[in-house]
Amino acid sequence: MLRIKEAITAAKTSGRKITKTQLAQRIWPDSSVHAAKINMSNLCMGRTKYIPPQWIKIICEECGCSADFLLGID
């Protein structure tokens, strides 16, 4: 499971203004806002079976964190 909530919290403490909704719209730009929110919820809860590397890259760029942090690798 990705540490998205922790990454967003870390981004906010470092001065970046990002929400899960904004992040969802970056990951799924062609989806409706409602569909993107559902997809983000599934991603945060670990229900997504496949996570493409480009999603990891987008989340890391937007939140200012490393892939290691996002994946929980120490």
Side-chain angles (χ1 to χ4, degrees), residues 12-65:
K12 287 181 180 177
T13 58
S14 68
R16 292 178 182 245
K17 294 182 180 181
I18 187 79
T19 64
K20 282 198 285 185
T21 303
Q22 292 170 332
L23 195 54
Q25 290 174 339
R26 284 267 299 139
I27 296 171
W28 300 285
D30 297 331
S31 296
S32 69
V33 174
H34 180 69
K37 283 183 181 182
I38 291 171
N39 289 337
M40 179 57 76
S41 176
N42 288 336
L43 189 61
C44 289
M45 298 300 288
R47 293 186 217 132
T48 305
K49 295 184 192 284
Y50 175 71
I51 302 169
Q54 61 265 26
W55 292 2
I56 302 281
K57 183 179 178 190
I58 291 169
I59 295 167
C60 290
E61 287 173 353
E62 292 295 317
C63 294
C65 67

